[in-house]
Amino acid sequence: MGESQPDPSADRKPNEPGLVFADTAYRLAVVDLLGAIAYGELSAFERLVDDAKLAPSVRDKVEMGAMATLEFGHVAPLHDRIRELGGDPFEAMAPFEAAIDLFHAHTAPADWYEGLVKAYVGDAMAADFYREIAAYLDADTRDLIIASLEDSGQADFAVRHVRQAIAADPKLGGRLALWARRLMGEALTQAQHVAAERDALTALLAGGIDRPGLDLAAIGRMFTRITERHDDRMSEVGLSA
Amino acid sequence: MGESQPDPSADRKPNEPGLVFADTAYRLAVVDLLGAIAYGELSAFERLVDDAKLAPSVRDKVEMGAMATLEFGHVAPLHDRIRELGGDPFEAMAPFEAAIDLFHAHTAPADWYEGLVKAYVGDAMAADFYREIAAYLDADTRDLIIASLEDSGQADFAVRHVRQAIAADPKLGGRLALWARRLMGEALTQAQHVAAERDALTALLAGGIDRPGLDLAAIGRMFTRITERHDDRMSEVGLSA
């Protein structure tokens, strides 16, 4: 970047919200979105620690615990940003608690392998979805979201263990493939409930004066991409969809 | 320290075990002790996340989660040190799993306040005990143990919440005082089981050629100090012993 070019953000303090946040509807929608992600990370943390109880060894438990604490570490920066935007982190998370809690209540893993597949598939699917939305947001918010969705190593860990287990017991593959499909179905059901209730988020996707939005065709393509990535992951872990 | 004085440890790399570890029995005893502390921190982490489910609000849950992840963060440095001393962290933790798991199984909190008192009293009591032992060890091990026992803020958090709750409902105080006594009893029972089975640890307390040890009178004084500190904490939190 040439030094002679004026940078419109040069006068901003590092964490000060940009001009785009002068649009109140946009600001509220971003607070909503960050609240959803923060509560998602918080409950992912709890569930990973819970599911780690099913671990066949203390070694596996420690690996799962390390992933869980990384997820928890993402919550504070999201809360900080919500405060910078004038919101309250706990109010921002509240509207998403019911849907996310219900998702977890409906998908409690019956054993260690179901837990691993859930950690792998569930987390990656949520990350894909939020990353798709982040593409339509201002650069600061986008960077924060992408950083907070960084894979904490659970993909490698899960793929390695699930592949080994299926190699040793091919029947397990069939059961886990059905399980992954159920996870996908539950996630879509709860996402639809949230979308139907949260006008701010829906408006966010529709765009604004200075921001491109998603029309129905674009939303369709987005879900196609998310589904394709899910299928890729299923093959990667040795579960044909 | 004057520059003219030769420092016997000057040739050591930062993490290389000191001369004292040439004594195999001492090295094994330290590995044993670090294994016990590491498994204690690991299970404290799991229990804090578990007990956080009883939290009356998401805000309290997040505070408890932050304390839990700090405890988990202590596990890796302890494991690293066990490896530096030529041990395997998971083998080192194994002998203590049964006693520590049993302690937690016998002291599952029935509500949020019992969980808070347990986080406060249990953790502080374990820390007092390990700190007493650390005083008899080489400086590197002592520093590591003291760093890993650092209070992650749960004392303040617990004292504040429990005092408020007792002020609002004095009957709660009586129940929690009994609960704290039960925690103390269970901890002593399990500590005795461990002491009876782990010769290396017992030998450690007895001292060595270059290290002062604890005779029976000194052990008695140690337990008196630990009990006194427990009583001080009980007053601090508003529970007369």
Side-chain angles (χ1 to χ4, degrees), chain A residues 22-227:
Chain A
D23 174 354
T24 307
Y26 180 74
R27 191 168 51 74
L28 292 179
V30 168
V31 165
D32 231 37
L33 179 64
L34 298 181
I37 299 178
Y39 193 76
E41 299 268 10
L42 179 61
S43 44
F45 159 72
E46 286 183 295
R47 299 303 157 155
L48 282 173
V49 179
D50 242 9
D51 298 347
K53 286 180 196 150
L54 303 165
S57 75
V58 177
R59 199 180 293 266
D60 292 313
K61 197 181 266 194
V62 170
E63 285 215 50
M64 205 106 163
M67 295 188 283
T69 57
L70 279 173
E71 302 260 12
F72 187 81
H74 294 147
V75 174
L78 291 164
H79 281 187
D80 289 345
R81 186 61 178 164
I82 290 171
R83 285 193 195 94
E84 281 158 16
L85 294 175
D88 174 274
F90 296 94
E91 282 173 25
M93 297 197 298
F96 305 99
E97 290 173 23
I100 292 174
D101 288 354
L102 217 54
F103 169 76
H104 287 299
H106 288 178
T107 58
D111 64 18
W112 170 242
Y113 293 105
E114 288 192 3
L116 280 180
V117 169
K118 183 175 167 183
Y120 175 54
V121 169
D123 195 78
M125 221 159 45
D128 279 347
F129 178 67
Y130 291 128
R131 244 184 244 116
E132 288 276 354
I133 296 181
Y136 293 87
L137 304 179
D138 65 287
D140 289 350
T141 305
R142 189 165 60 236
D143 292 348
L144 173 65
I145 290 177
I146 288 171
S148 74
L149 297 174
E150 215 183 353
D151 176 6
S152 56
Q154 63 218 55
D156 276 358
F157 180 75
V159 169
R160 189 157 34 91
H161 281 72
V162 172
R163 288 185 77 107
Q164 278 173 4
I166 294 175
D169 173 12
K171 266 193 305 183
L172 181 67
R175 175 158 70 82
L176 292 180
L178 282 177
W179 169 247
R181 218 169 301 163
R182 203 174 115 204
L183 290 172
M184 181 70 158
E186 272 297 334
L188 288 178
T189 305
Q190 297 307 330
Q192 275 162 5
H193 286 177
V194 168
E197 277 171 37
R198 302 305 295 170
D199 290 344
L201 271 183
T202 320
L204 184 73
L205 288 178
I209 298 171
D210 301 322
R211 287 177 303 105
L214 283 162
D215 56 19
L216 273 182
I219 292 180
R221 284 193 299 274
M222 179 176 103
F223 276 100
T224 306
R225 281 193 298 274
I226 292 179
T227 311

Side-chain angles (χ1 to χ4, degrees), chain B:
Chain B
M1 209 184 284
E3 285 197 34
S4 55
Q5 293 208 348
D7 175 359
S9 67
D11 291 339
R12 272 204 289 145
K13 288 176 206 141
N15 294 318
E16 203 175 296
L19 254 186
V20 67
F21 291 103
D23 175 351
T24 308
Y26 181 73
R27 191 168 51 75
L28 291 179
V30 168
V31 165
D32 232 36
L33 179 65
L34 298 181
I37 299 177
Y39 193 76
E41 298 267 9
L42 179 60
S43 45
F45 159 72
E46 285 182 295
R47 299 304 156 153
L48 282 174
V49 179
D50 243 9
D51 299 346
K53 286 179 196 150
L54 303 165
S57 75
V58 176
R59 198 180 293 263
D60 292 314
K61 198 183 266 194
V62 169
E63 285 214 52
M64 204 107 164
M67 295 188 282
T69 57
L70 278 173
E71 301 261 11
F72 187 82
H74 294 148
V75 174
L78 291 164
H79 281 186
D80 289 346
R81 186 62 180 166
I82 291 171
R83 285 192 195 94
E84 282 158 16
L85 294 175
D88 174 275
F90 296 95
E91 283 172 24
M93 295 196 300
F96 305 99
E97 289 173 23
I100 292 174
D101 288 354
L102 217 54
F103 169 74
H104 287 298
H106 289 178
T107 58
D111 64 18
W112 170 242
Y113 294 105
E114 289 192 3
L116 280 181
V117 169
K118 182 174 168 184
Y120 175 54
V121 168
D123 195 77
M125 220 158 45
D128 279 346
F129 178 67
Y130 291 129
R131 245 183 245 119
E132 288 277 353
I133 296 182
Y136 293 87
L137 306 179
D138 64 289
D140 289 352
T141 305
R142 188 167 58 236
D143 292 348
L144 173 64
I145 290 177
I146 288 170
S148 75
L149 297 175
E150 215 183 353
D151 176 4
S152 55
Q154 63 218 55
D156 277 356
F157 180 75
V159 169
R160 190 159 31 95
H161 281 72
V162 171
R163 288 185 76 106
Q164 278 172 4
I166 295 175
D169 173 13
K171 266 193 304 182
L172 182 66
R175 176 157 70 83
L176 292 181
L178 282 177
W179 169 246
R181 217 170 299 163
R182 204 174 115 204
L183 290 172
M184 182 71 160
E186 273 296 334
L188 288 178
T189 305
Q190 298 306 329
Q192 275 162 5
H193 286 178
V194 168
E197 277 170 36
R198 304 303 297 170
D199 291 344
L201 270 184
T202 319
L204 185 73
L205 287 179
I209 299 170
D210 301 321
R211 286 177 304 103
L214 283 162
D215 57 18
L216 273 180
I219 291 180
R221 284 194 298 274
M222 178 175 103
F223 275 102
T224 305
R225 281 193 299 274
I226 293 180
T227 310
E228 283 170 358
R229 275 187 223 122
H230 174 73
D231 292 343
D232 289 348
R233 276 190 295 271
M234 288 298 88
S235 312
E236 166 89 334
V237 80
L239 302 170
S240 45

